[in-house]
Coordinates of all heavy atoms in Angstrom, one line a residue:
M1 N -85.1 260.6 -189.4 CA -86.4 259.9 -189.6 C -87.1 260.5 -190.8 O -87.0 261.6 -191.1 CB -87.2 260.0 -188.4 CG -88.4 259.0 -188.3 SD -87.9 257.3 -188.6 CE -89.5 256.6 -189.1
S2 N -87.8 259.6 -191.5 CA -88.5 260.1 -192.7 C -89.7 260.9 -192.4 O -90.4 260.8 -191.4 CB -88.9 258.8 -193.5 OG -89.6 259.2 -194.6
D3 N -90.0 261.9 -193.3 CA -91.2 262.7 -193.1 C -92.3 262.2 -194.0 O -93.3 262.8 -194.1 CB -90.9 264.2 -193.5 CG -90.5 264.3 -195.0 OD1 -90.2 263.3 -195.6 OD2 -90.5 265.4 -195.5
I4 N -92.1 261.0 -194.5 CA -93.1 260.4 -195.4 C -94.3 259.8 -194.5 O -94.0 259.2 -193.5 CB -92.5 259.3 -196.2 CG1 -91.5 259.9 -197.2 CG2 -93.6 258.5 -197.0 CD1 -90.7 258.8 -197.9
R5 N -95.5 260.0 -194.9 CA -96.7 259.5 -194.2 C -97.5 258.7 -195.2 O -97.5 259.0 -196.4 CB -97.5 260.7 -193.6 CG -96.7 261.6 -192.7 CD -96.7 260.9 -191.3 NE -95.9 261.7 -190.3 CZ -94.6 261.7 -190.2 NH1 -93.9 260.8 -190.9 NH2 -94.0 262.5 -189.3
A6 N -98.4 257.9 -194.6 CA -99.4 257.2 -195.5 C -100.2 258.2 -196.2 O -100.6 259.2 -195.6 CB -100.2 256.3 -194.6
G7 N -100.4 258.0 -197.5 CA -101.2 258.9 -198.3 C -100.4 259.9 -199.1 O -100.9 260.6 -200.0
D8 N -99.1 260.0 -198.7 CA -98.2 260.9 -199.4 C -97.9 260.4 -200.8 O -97.8 259.2 -201.1 CB -96.9 261.1 -198.7 CG -97.0 262.0 -197.5 OD1 -98.0 262.7 -197.4 OD2 -96.1 262.0 -196.7
L9 N -97.6 261.4 -201.7 CA -97.0 261.0 -203.0 C -95.5 261.1 -202.8 O -95.0 262.0 -202.2 CB -97.4 262.0 -204.1 CG -98.9 262.0 -204.5 CD1 -99.1 263.1 -205.5 CD2 -99.2 260.7 -205.1
V10 N -94.8 260.1 -203.3 CA -93.4 260.1 -203.2 C -92.7 259.8 -204.6 O -93.4 259.1 -205.4 CB -92.9 259.0 -202.2 CG1 -93.3 259.4 -200.8 CG2 -93.4 257.6 -202.6
E11 N -91.5 260.3 -204.8 CA -90.8 260.0 -206.0 C -89.6 259.0 -205.7 O -89.0 259.2 -204.6 CB -90.2 261.3 -206.5 CG -89.3 261.1 -207.8 CD -88.7 262.4 -208.3 OE1 -88.9 263.4 -207.7 OE2 -87.9 262.3 -209.2
C12 N -89.5 258.0 -206.5 CA -88.4 257.1 -206.3 C -87.1 257.8 -206.7 O -86.9 258.3 -207.8 CB -88.6 255.8 -207.1 SG -87.2 254.7 -207.0
I13 N -86.1 257.8 -205.7 CA -84.8 258.4 -206.0 C -83.7 257.4 -206.0 O -82.5 257.7 -206.1 CB -84.5 259.6 -205.0 CG1 -84.6 259.1 -203.6 CG2 -85.4 260.7 -205.3 CD1 -84.2 260.1 -202.6
D14 N -84.0 256.1 -205.7 CA -83.0 255.1 -205.7 C -83.7 253.7 -206.0 O -84.5 253.3 -205.2 CB -82.4 255.0 -204.3 CG -81.3 253.9 -204.2 OD1 -81.0 253.2 -205.2 OD2 -80.9 253.6 -203.0
D15 N -83.4 253.2 -207.2 CA -84.0 251.9 -207.6 C -83.0 250.8 -207.6 O -83.3 249.8 -208.3 CB -84.7 252.1 -208.9 CG -83.8 252.4 -210.0 OD1 -82.6 252.6 -209.8 OD2 -84.2 252.4 -211.2
T16 N -81.9 250.9 -206.9 CA -80.9 249.9 -206.9 C -81.2 248.8 -205.8 O -81.2 249.2 -204.7 CB -79.5 250.5 -206.7 OG1 -79.3 251.6 -207.5 CG2 -78.4 249.4 -206.9
P17 N -81.4 247.6 -206.2 CA -81.7 246.6 -205.2 C -80.5 246.4 -204.2 O -79.4 246.4 -204.7 CB -82.0 245.3 -206.0 CG -82.2 245.8 -207.4 CD -81.5 247.0 -207.5
N18 N -80.8 246.3 -202.9 CA -79.8 246.0 -202.0 C -79.4 244.5 -202.0 O -78.3 244.1 -201.7 CB -80.2 246.4 -200.5 CG -80.2 247.9 -200.3 OD1 -79.5 248.6 -201.0 ND2 -81.0 248.3 -199.4
R19 N -80.4 243.7 -202.3 CA -80.3 242.3 -202.2 C -80.7 241.7 -203.5 O -81.7 242.2 -204.1 CB -81.1 241.7 -201.1 CG -80.7 242.2 -199.7 CD -81.5 241.5 -198.6 NE -82.9 241.8 -198.7 CZ -83.6 242.6 -198.0 NH1 -83.0 243.2 -197.0 NH2 -84.9 242.8 -198.1
P20 N -80.1 240.6 -203.9 CA -80.4 240.0 -205.2 C -81.9 239.5 -205.3 O -82.4 239.4 -206.4 CB -79.4 238.8 -205.3 CG -78.9 238.6 -204.0 CD -79.0 239.9 -203.3
E21 N -82.4 239.2 -204.1 CA -83.8 238.7 -204.1 C -84.8 239.8 -204.3 O -86.0 239.5 -204.5 CB -84.1 237.8 -202.9 CG -84.1 238.6 -201.6 CD -82.8 238.6 -200.9 OE1 -81.7 238.5 -201.5 OE2 -82.8 238.7 -199.6
S22 N -84.4 241.0 -204.2 CA -85.3 242.1 -204.4 C -85.5 242.4 -205.9 O -84.8 243.1 -206.6 CB -84.7 243.4 -203.8 OG -84.6 243.2 -202.4
Q23 N -86.4 241.6 -206.5 CA -86.6 241.7 -207.9 C -87.6 242.7 -208.3 O -87.6 243.2 -209.5 CB -87.0 240.3 -208.4 CG -85.9 239.3 -208.4 CD -86.3 237.9 -208.6 OE1 -87.5 237.6 -208.9 NE2 -85.4 236.9 -208.6
I24 N -88.5 243.1 -207.4 CA -89.5 244.1 -207.7 C -89.0 245.4 -207.1 O -88.9 245.5 -205.9 CB -90.9 243.7 -207.2 CG1 -91.3 242.3 -207.8 CG2 -91.9 244.8 -207.5 CD1 -92.6 241.8 -207.1
M25 N -88.7 246.3 -208.0 CA -88.2 247.6 -207.5 C -89.0 248.8 -208.1 O -89.5 248.6 -209.3 CB -86.8 247.8 -207.9 CG -85.8 246.8 -207.2 SD -85.8 246.9 -205.4 CE -85.3 248.6 -205.1
P26 N -89.2 249.8 -207.4 CA -89.9 251.0 -208.0 C -89.0 251.6 -209.1 O -87.8 251.4 -209.1 CB -90.1 252.0 -206.8 CG -89.1 251.5 -205.8 CD -88.9 250.1 -206.0
D27 N -89.6 252.3 -210.0 CA -88.8 252.9 -211.1 C -88.3 254.3 -210.7 O -89.0 255.1 -210.1 CB -89.7 253.1 -212.4 CG -90.0 251.8 -213.0 OD1 -89.2 250.9 -213.0 OD2 -91.1 251.7 -213.6
L28 N -87.0 254.5 -211.0 CA -86.4 255.8 -210.7 C -87.1 256.9 -211.3 O -87.4 256.9 -212.5 CB -84.9 255.8 -211.2 CG -84.0 256.9 -210.7 CD1 -83.8 256.9 -209.2 CD2 -82.7 256.9 -211.5
G29 N -87.5 257.9 -210.5 CA -88.2 259.1 -211.1 C -89.7 258.9 -211.1 O -90.4 259.9 -211.4
A30 N -90.2 257.7 -210.9 CA -91.6 257.5 -210.9 C -92.3 258.0 -209.6 O -91.7 258.0 -208.6 CB -91.9 256.0 -211.1
I31 N -93.5 258.3 -209.7 CA -94.3 258.8 -208.6 C -95.2 257.7 -208.1 O -95.9 257.1 -208.9 CB -95.1 260.1 -208.9 CG1 -94.2 261.2 -209.5 CG2 -95.9 260.6 -207.7 CD1 -93.3 261.8 -208.5
Y32 N -95.2 257.5 -206.7 CA -96.0 256.5 -206.1 C -96.8 257.0 -205.0 O -96.5 258.1 -204.4 CB -95.2 255.3 -205.6 CG -94.4 254.6 -206.7 CD1 -93.1 255.0 -207.0 CD2 -95.0 253.6 -207.5 CE1 -92.4 254.3 -208.0 CE2 -94.3 253.0 -208.5 CZ -93.0 253.3 -208.8 OH -92.3 252.7 -209.8
T33 N -97.9 256.3 -204.6 CA -98.7 256.7 -203.4 C -98.3 255.7 -202.3 O -98.3 254.5 -202.4 CB -100.2 256.6 -203.7 OG1 -100.4 257.3 -204.9 CG2 -101.0 257.1 -202.5
V34 N -98.0 256.3 -201.1 CA -97.7 255.5 -199.9 C -98.9 255.0 -199.3 O -99.8 255.8 -199.0 CB -96.8 256.3 -198.9 CG1 -96.6 255.5 -197.6 CG2 -95.5 256.8 -199.6
T35 N -99.0 253.7 -199.1 CA -100.2 253.2 -198.3 C -99.8 252.9 -196.9 O -100.7 252.9 -196.0 CB -100.7 251.8 -199.0 OG1 -99.6 250.9 -199.0 CG2 -101.2 252.1 -200.4
N36 N -98.6 252.7 -196.6 CA -98.2 252.4 -195.2 C -96.7 252.6 -195.1 O -95.9 252.5 -196.0 CB -98.5 250.9 -194.9 CG -98.3 250.6 -193.5 OD1 -98.6 251.4 -192.6 ND2 -97.7 249.4 -193.2
I37 N -96.3 253.1 -193.9 CA -94.9 253.2 -193.5 C -94.7 252.8 -192.1 O -95.5 253.2 -191.2 CB -94.4 254.7 -193.8 CG1 -92.9 254.7 -193.5 CG2 -95.2 255.7 -193.1 CD1 -92.2 256.0 -194.0
R38 N -93.7 252.0 -191.8 CA -93.5 251.6 -190.5 C -92.0 251.6 -190.2 O -91.1 251.4 -191.1 CB -94.1 250.3 -190.2 CG -93.5 249.1 -191.0 CD -94.3 247.9 -190.9 NE -93.6 246.8 -191.6 CZ -92.8 245.9 -191.1 NH1 -92.4 246.0 -189.8 NH2 -92.2 245.0 -191.8
A39 N -91.6 251.8 -188.9 CA -90.2 251.9 -188.5 C -89.6 250.5 -188.5 O -90.3 249.5 -188.1 CB -90.1 252.5 -187.1
V40 N -88.5 250.4 -189.1 CA -87.8 249.1 -189.1 C -86.3 249.4 -188.9 O -85.6 250.1 -189.7 CB -87.9 248.4 -190.5 CG1 -87.0 247.1 -190.5 CG2 -89.3 248.0 -190.8
G41 N -85.8 248.9 -187.8 CA -84.4 249.2 -187.4 C -84.2 250.7 -187.3 O -84.9 251.4 -186.6
D42 N -83.1 251.2 -188.0 CA -82.8 252.6 -188.0 C -83.7 253.4 -189.0 O -83.6 254.6 -189.1 CB -81.3 252.9 -188.4 CG -80.4 252.3 -187.3 OD1 -80.9 252.2 -186.1 OD2 -79.3 252.0 -187.6
G43 N -84.3 252.7 -189.9 CA -85.1 253.4 -191.0 C -86.5 253.1 -191.0 O -87.1 252.9 -189.9
A44 N -87.1 253.1 -192.1 CA -88.5 252.8 -192.2 C -88.8 252.1 -193.5 O -88.1 252.2 -194.5 CB -89.3 254.2 -192.2
S45 N -89.9 251.3 -193.5 CA -90.3 250.4 -194.6 C -91.5 251.0 -195.2 O -92.5 251.3 -194.5 CB -90.5 249.0 -194.1 OG -90.9 248.2 -195.2
V46 N -91.5 251.2 -196.5 CA -92.6 251.8 -197.2 C -93.4 250.8 -198.1 O -92.7 250.0 -198.8 CB -92.1 253.0 -198.1 CG1 -93.2 253.6 -198.9 CG2 -91.5 254.1 -197.2
R47 N -94.7 250.9 -198.0 CA -95.5 250.1 -199.0 C -96.2 251.1 -199.9 O -96.6 252.2 -199.5 CB -96.6 249.3 -198.2 CG -96.0 248.2 -197.4 CD -95.6 247.0 -198.2 NE -96.7 246.4 -198.9 CZ -96.8 245.0 -198.9 NH1 -96.0 244.3 -198.2 NH2 -97.8 244.5 -199.5
L48 N -96.4 250.7 -201.2 CA -96.9 251.6 -202.2 C -98.2 251.0 -202.7 O -98.4 249.8 -202.7 CB -95.9 251.7 -203.3 CG -94.5 252.2 -203.0 CD1 -93.6 252.1 -204.2 CD2 -94.5 253.6 -202.4
K49 N -99.1 251.9 -203.1 CA -100.4 251.5 -203.7 C -100.2 250.9 -205.0 O -100.8 249.9 -205.4 CB -101.3 252.8 -203.8 CG -102.7 252.4 -204.3 CD -103.6 253.7 -204.1 CE -103.6 254.4 -205.5 NZ -104.6 255.5 -205.4
E50 N -99.2 251.4 -205.8 CA -99.1 251.0 -207.2 C -98.3 249.7 -207.4 O -98.3 249.2 -208.5 CB -98.4 252.1 -208.0 CG -99.3 253.4 -208.2 CD -99.2 254.3 -207.0 OE1 -98.5 253.9 -206.0 OE2 -99.8 255.4 -207.0
L51 N -97.5 249.3 -206.4 CA -96.5 248.3 -206.6 C -96.4 247.4 -205.3 O -96.3 248.0 -204.2 CB -95.2 248.9 -206.9 CG -94.1 248.1 -207.6 CD1 -94.6 247.6 -208.9 CD2 -92.8 248.9 -207.7
T52 N -96.4 246.1 -205.5 CA -96.2 245.2 -204.3 C -94.8 244.7 -204.4 O -94.3 244.2 -205.4 CB -97.2 244.0 -204.4 OG1 -98.5 244.6 -204.5 CG2 -97.0 243.1 -203.2
P53 N -94.1 244.8 -203.2 CA -92.7 244.3 -203.2 C -92.5 242.8 -203.3 O -93.5 242.1 -203.0 CB -92.2 244.8 -201.9 CG -93.4 244.9 -201.0 CD -94.5 245.3 -201.9
S54 N -91.3 242.4 -203.7 CA -91.0 241.0 -203.6 C -90.9 240.6 -202.1 O -90.6 241.5 -201.3 CB -89.8 240.6 -204.4 OG -88.8 241.6 -204.2
C55 N -91.1 239.4 -201.8 CA -91.2 239.0 -200.4 C -90.0 238.3 -199.9 O -89.3 237.6 -200.7 CB -92.4 238.1 -200.2 SG -92.9 237.8 -198.5
H56 N -89.6 238.5 -198.6 CA -88.5 237.7 -198.0 C -88.8 236.2 -198.0 O -87.9 235.4 -197.8 CB -88.1 238.3 -196.7 CG -89.1 238.0 -195.6 ND1 -90.3 238.7 -195.5 CD2 -89.2 237.0 -194.6 CE1 -91.0 238.2 -194.4 NE2 -90.3 237.2 -193.9
L57 N -90.1 235.9 -198.2 CA -90.4 234.5 -198.2 C -90.4 233.9 -199.6 O -90.6 232.8 -199.9 CB -91.8 234.3 -197.6 CG -92.0 234.7 -196.2 CD1 -93.5 234.6 -195.8 CD2 -91.2 233.9 -195.2
G58 N -90.2 234.9 -200.6 CA -90.1 234.5 -202.0 C -91.4 234.9 -202.7 O -92.5 235.0 -202.1
G59 N -91.3 235.3 -204.0 CA -92.4 235.7 -204.8 C -92.9 237.1 -204.5 O -92.2 237.9 -203.8
V60 N -94.1 237.4 -204.9 CA -94.7 238.7 -204.6 C -95.2 238.7 -203.2 O -95.8 237.7 -202.7 CB -95.8 239.0 -205.6 CG1 -96.6 240.3 -205.2 CG2 -95.3 239.1 -207.0
C61 N -95.0 239.8 -202.4 CA -95.3 239.8 -201.0 C -96.8 239.6 -200.8 O -97.7 240.3 -201.3 CB -94.9 241.1 -200.4 SG -95.2 241.2 -198.6
A62 N -97.1 238.6 -199.9 CA -98.5 238.4 -199.4 C -98.5 238.5 -197.9 O -99.6 238.5 -197.3 CB -98.9 237.0 -199.9
C63 N -97.3 238.5 -197.3 CA -97.3 238.5 -195.8 C -97.6 239.9 -195.3 O -98.0 240.1 -194.1 CB -95.9 238.1 -195.3 SG -94.6 239.2 -195.5
G64 N -97.3 241.0 -196.1 CA -97.6 242.3 -195.7 C -96.6 243.0 -194.9 O -96.7 244.2 -194.6
D65 N -95.5 242.3 -194.6 CA -94.4 242.8 -193.8 C -93.3 243.4 -194.6 O -92.4 244.1 -194.1 CB -93.8 241.7 -192.9 CG -94.8 241.4 -191.8 OD1 -95.6 242.2 -191.4 OD2 -94.6 240.3 -191.2
C66 N -93.3 243.1 -195.9 CA -92.2 243.6 -196.7 C -92.4 245.0 -197.3 O -93.5 245.4 -197.3 CB -91.9 242.6 -197.9 SG -91.7 240.9 -197.3
G67 N -91.3 245.6 -197.6 CA -91.5 247.0 -198.2 C -90.1 247.5 -198.7 O -89.2 246.7 -198.7
W68 N -90.1 248.7 -199.1 CA -88.9 249.3 -199.5 C -88.4 250.4 -198.5 O -89.2 251.0 -197.8 CB -89.1 250.0 -200.9 CG -89.4 249.1 -202.0 CD1 -88.4 248.4 -202.7 CD2 -90.6 248.8 -202.6 NE1 -89.1 247.6 -203.6 CE2 -90.4 247.9 -203.6 CE3 -91.9 249.2 -202.3 CZ2 -91.5 247.4 -204.3 CZ3 -93.0 248.7 -203.0 CH2 -92.7 247.8 -204.1
D69 N -87.1 250.5 -198.5 CA -86.5 251.5 -197.5 C -87.0 252.9 -197.9 O -87.1 253.3 -199.0 CB -85.0 251.5 -197.7 CG -84.3 252.3 -196.6 OD1 -84.6 253.5 -196.5 OD2 -83.5 251.7 -195.9
A70 N -87.4 253.6 -196.8 CA -88.0 255.0 -197.1 C -87.0 255.9 -197.7 O -87.3 256.9 -198.4 CB -88.4 255.6 -195.7
G71 N -85.7 255.6 -197.5 CA -84.6 256.4 -198.2 C -84.6 256.3 -199.7 O -83.9 257.1 -200.3
R72 N -85.3 255.4 -200.2 CA -85.5 255.3 -201.7 C -86.4 256.3 -202.3 O -86.5 256.5 -203.5 CB -86.0 253.9 -202.1 CG -85.0 252.8 -201.7 CD -85.5 251.5 -202.3 NE -84.6 250.4 -202.0 CZ -83.5 250.1 -202.6 NH1 -83.1 250.9 -203.6 NH2 -82.7 249.1 -202.3
F73 N -87.1 257.0 -201.4 CA -88.2 257.9 -201.8 C -88.0 259.3 -201.2 O -87.5 259.4 -200.1 CB -89.5 257.4 -201.4 CG -89.8 256.0 -201.9 CD1 -89.6 254.9 -201.1 CD2 -90.3 255.7 -203.2 CE1 -89.8 253.6 -201.5 CE2 -90.5 254.5 -203.7 CZ -90.2 253.4 -202.8
R74 N -88.5 260.3 -202.0 CA -88.6 261.6 -201.3 C -90.0 262.1 -201.6 O -90.7 261.8 -202.6 CB -87.6 262.6 -201.9 CG -87.8 263.0 -203.3 CD -86.7 264.0 -203.7 NE -86.7 264.3 -205.1 CZ -87.5 265.3 -205.7 NH1 -88.2 266.0 -204.9 NH2 -87.5 265.5 -207.0
K75 N -90.5 262.8 -200.6 CA -91.8 263.2 -200.6 C -92.1 264.3 -201.7 O -91.2 265.1 -201.9 CB -92.1 263.8 -199.2 CG -93.6 264.2 -198.9 CD -93.7 264.5 -197.5 CE -95.1 265.0 -197.2 NZ -95.3 265.0 -195.7
V76 N -93.2 264.2 -202.3 CA -93.5 265.1 -203.4 C -94.6 266.0 -202.8 O -95.7 265.5 -202.4 CB -94.1 264.4 -204.6 CG1 -94.6 265.4 -205.7 CG2 -93.0 263.5 -205.2
Y77 N -94.3 267.3 -202.8 CA -95.3 268.3 -202.3 C -96.2 268.7 -203.5 O -95.7 269.3 -204.4 CB -94.6 269.4 -201.6 CG -93.9 269.0 -200.4 CD1 -92.6 268.6 -200.4 CD2 -94.6 269.0 -199.2 CE1 -91.9 268.2 -199.3 CE2 -93.9 268.6 -198.0 CZ -92.6 268.2 -198.1 OH -92.0 267.8 -196.9
R78 N -97.4 268.4 -203.3 CA -98.4 268.8 -204.4 C -99.2 270.0 -203.9 O -99.5 270.1 -202.7 CB -99.3 267.6 -204.7 CG -100.0 267.1 -203.5 CD -100.9 265.9 -203.8 NE -101.1 265.1 -202.6 CZ -101.8 264.0 -202.6 NH1 -102.4 263.6 -203.7 NH2 -102.0 263.3 -201.5
P79 N -99.6 270.8 -204.9 CA -100.5 271.9 -204.5 C -101.8 271.4 -203.9 O -102.4 270.5 -204.5 CB -100.8 272.6 -205.8 CG -99.7 272.2 -206.7 CD -99.3 270.8 -206.3
N80 N -102.1 271.8 -202.7 CA -103.3 271.4 -202.1 C -104.2 272.6 -201.8 O -103.8 273.7 -202.2 CB -103.1 270.7 -200.7 CG -102.2 271.5 -199.8 OD1 -102.2 272.7 -199.9 ND2 -101.5 270.8 -198.9
G81 N -105.3 272.5 -201.2 CA -106.2 273.6 -201.0 C -105.6 274.7 -200.2 O -105.8 275.9 -200.5
E82 N -104.8 274.4 -199.2 CA -104.1 275.4 -198.4 C -103.2 276.2 -199.2 O -103.1 277.4 -199.1 CB -103.4 274.7 -197.3 CG -103.1 275.5 -196.1 CD -102.5 274.6 -195.0 OE1 -103.2 273.8 -194.5 OE2 -101.3 274.8 -194.7
F83 N -102.5 275.5 -200.1 CA -101.5 276.2 -200.9 C -102.2 277.2 -201.9 O -101.8 278.3 -202.1 CB -100.7 275.2 -201.7 CG -99.8 275.8 -202.7 CD1 -98.6 276.5 -202.3 CD2 -100.1 275.7 -204.1 CE1 -97.8 277.1 -203.3 CE2 -99.2 276.3 -205.0 CZ -98.1 277.0 -204.6
I84 N -103.3 276.7 -202.5 CA -104.1 277.5 -203.5 C -104.6 278.7 -202.7 O -104.5 279.8 -203.2 CB -105.2 276.7 -204.1 CG1 -104.7 275.4 -204.8 CG2 -106.1 277.5 -205.0 CD1 -103.9 275.7 -206.0
A85 N -105.1 278.5 -201.5 CA -105.7 279.6 -200.8 C -104.7 280.6 -200.5 O -104.9 281.8 -200.5 CB -106.3 279.1 -199.5
S86 N -103.4 280.2 -200.2 CA -102.4 281.1 -199.8 C -102.0 282.0 -201.0 O -101.6 283.2 -200.8 CB -101.1 280.3 -199.4 OG -100.4 279.8 -200.5
L87 N -102.3 281.6 -202.2 CA -102.0 282.4 -203.4 C -103.0 283.6 -203.4 O -102.6 284.7 -204.0 CB -102.2 281.6 -204.7 CG -101.2 280.5 -204.8 CD1 -101.6 279.7 -206.1 CD2 -99.8 280.9 -204.9
F88 N -104.1 283.5 -202.8 CA -105.1 284.6 -202.8 C -105.1 285.4 -201.6 O -105.9 286.3 -201.4 CB -106.5 284.0 -203.1 CG -106.6 283.3 -204.5 CD1 -106.4 282.0 -204.6 CD2 -106.8 284.1 -205.6 CE1 -106.4 281.4 -205.9 CE2 -106.8 283.5 -206.9 CZ -106.6 282.1 -207.0
C89 N -104.3 285.1 -200.6 CA -104.2 285.8 -199.4 C -103.5 287.1 -199.6 O -102.7 287.3 -200.6 CB -103.5 285.1 -198.3 SG -104.4 283.8 -197.5
D90 N -103.8 288.1 -198.7 CA -103.0 289.4 -198.8 C -101.6 289.1 -198.5 O -101.3 288.5 -197.5 CB -103.6 290.4 -197.8 CG -105.0 290.8 -198.2 OD1 -105.3 290.9 -199.5 OD2 -105.8 291.1 -197.4
V91 N -100.7 289.6 -199.3 CA -99.3 289.4 -199.1 C -98.8 290.7 -198.4 O -99.0 291.8 -198.9 CB -98.6 289.2 -200.5 CG1 -97.1 289.1 -200.2 CG2 -99.1 288.0 -201.2
P92 N -98.1 290.5 -197.3 CA -97.6 291.7 -196.6 C -96.5 292.4 -197.5 O -95.8 291.8 -198.3 CB -96.9 291.2 -195.4 CG -96.7 289.7 -195.6 CD -97.8 289.3 -196.6
D93 N -96.5 293.8 -197.4 CA -95.6 294.6 -198.2 C -94.1 294.2 -197.9 O -93.2 294.3 -198.7 CB -95.8 296.1 -198.0 CG -97.1 296.5 -198.6 OD1 -97.6 295.8 -199.6 OD2 -97.7 297.4 -198.1
R94 N -93.9 293.9 -196.6 CA -92.6 293.8 -196.1 C -92.6 292.5 -195.2 O -93.5 292.3 -194.5 CB -92.3 295.0 -195.2 CG -90.9 295.4 -195.0 CD -90.8 297.0 -194.9 NE -91.8 297.5 -193.8 CZ -91.5 297.5 -192.5 NH1 -90.3 297.1 -192.1 NH2 -92.3 298.0 -191.7
V95 N -91.6 291.7 -195.3 CA -91.4 290.6 -194.5 C -90.5 290.9 -193.3 O -89.4 291.4 -193.5 CB -90.8 289.4 -195.3 CG1 -90.6 288.2 -194.4 CG2 -91.7 289.0 -196.5
E96 N -91.1 290.8 -192.1 CA -90.4 291.2 -190.9 C -89.3 290.2 -190.5 O -88.3 290.6 -189.9 CB -91.3 291.3 -189.7 CG -92.4 292.4 -190.0 CD -91.8 293.8 -190.0 OE1 -90.7 294.0 -189.5 OE2 -92.5 294.7 -190.4
A97 N -89.5 288.9 -190.8 CA -88.5 287.9 -190.4 C -87.2 288.1 -191.1 O -87.2 288.3 -192.3 CB -89.1 286.5 -190.6
P98 N -86.1 288.0 -190.4 CA -84.8 288.1 -191.0 C -84.6 286.8 -191.8 O -85.2 285.8 -191.6 CB -83.8 288.2 -189.9 CG -84.5 287.5 -188.7 CD -86.0 287.8 -188.9
E99 N -83.7 286.9 -192.8 CA -83.4 285.7 -193.6 C -82.6 284.8 -192.7 O -81.8 285.2 -191.8 CB -82.5 286.1 -194.8 CG -83.3 286.7 -195.9 CD -82.4 286.9 -197.1 OE1 -81.7 286.0 -197.5 OE2 -82.4 288.0 -197.7
L100 N -82.8 283.5 -192.9 CA -82.1 282.5 -192.2 C -80.8 282.2 -193.0 O -80.9 281.9 -194.2 CB -82.9 281.2 -192.0 CG -84.1 281.4 -191.1 CD1 -85.0 280.1 -191.2 CD2 -83.7 281.7 -189.7
V101 N -79.7 282.3 -192.3 CA -78.4 282.0 -193.0 C -77.8 280.8 -192.3 O -77.6 280.8 -191.1 CB -77.5 283.2 -192.9 CG1 -76.2 282.9 -193.6 CG2 -78.2 284.4 -193.5
D102 N -77.4 279.9 -193.1 CA -76.7 278.7 -192.5 C -75.3 279.1 -192.1 O -74.6 279.9 -192.8 CB -76.6 277.6 -193.5 CG -78.0 276.9 -193.7 OD1 -78.8 276.9 -192.7 OD2 -78.3 276.5 -194.8
Ligands
LIG1 ZN1 -93.7 239.7 -197.6

């Protein structure tokens, strides 16, 4: 299941249309803002703030049900307040946790 949530920044990692009617596709490597994500079948359908998908009814989506597969995107982790704050926290001299080895 995707870890993408509404409000996340995502990078397009797959811009190849699955169907010929998918004329509107995100650009590979471009960054978008997720406005909505919902489960569809085994995956999830993503809507973007910057781009409106083509519709299964034809044309630009007005029905609101269309979207792109979440697998086309990966979440972009941006520095947030928590991250900035962590830079100024006291760093322990020694890390007690063992390394995780696959
Ligand atoms: Zn639609």
Side-chain angles (χ1 to χ4, degrees):
M1 192 56 200
S2 177
D3 63 344
I4 296 170
R5 300 280 177 272
D8 281 347
L9 292 179
V10 293
E11 177 184 356
C12 175
I13 55 174
D14 178 8
D15 66 350
T16 311
N18 286 338
R19 298 184 298 256
E21 67 268 28
S22 298
Q23 290 170 0
I24 303 172
M25 295 300 298
D27 289 327
L28 190 65
I31 304 293
Y32 298 95
T33 307
V34 175
T35 56
N36 189 38
I37 180 166
R38 65 190 181 92
V40 175
D42 293 335
S45 177
V46 172
R47 293 285 295 227
L48 304 174
K49 187 170 95 176
E50 292 85 356
L51 198 63
T52 303
S54 43
C55 194
H56 69 282
L57 302 173
V60 175
C61 182
C63 76
D65 288 338
C66 304
W68 293 279
D69 190 303
R72 295 185 179 283
F73 304 96
R74 69 179 171 90
K75 189 166 172 169
V76 175
Y77 292 92
R78 56 184 156 175
N80 56 25
E82 202 172 294
F83 173 74
I84 301 293
S86 75
L87 297 177
F88 295 98
C89 282
D90 291 327
V91 177
D93 293 330
R94 207 149 49 86
V95 178
E96 299 289 345
E99 284 187 48
L100 295 174
V101 180
D102 286 328

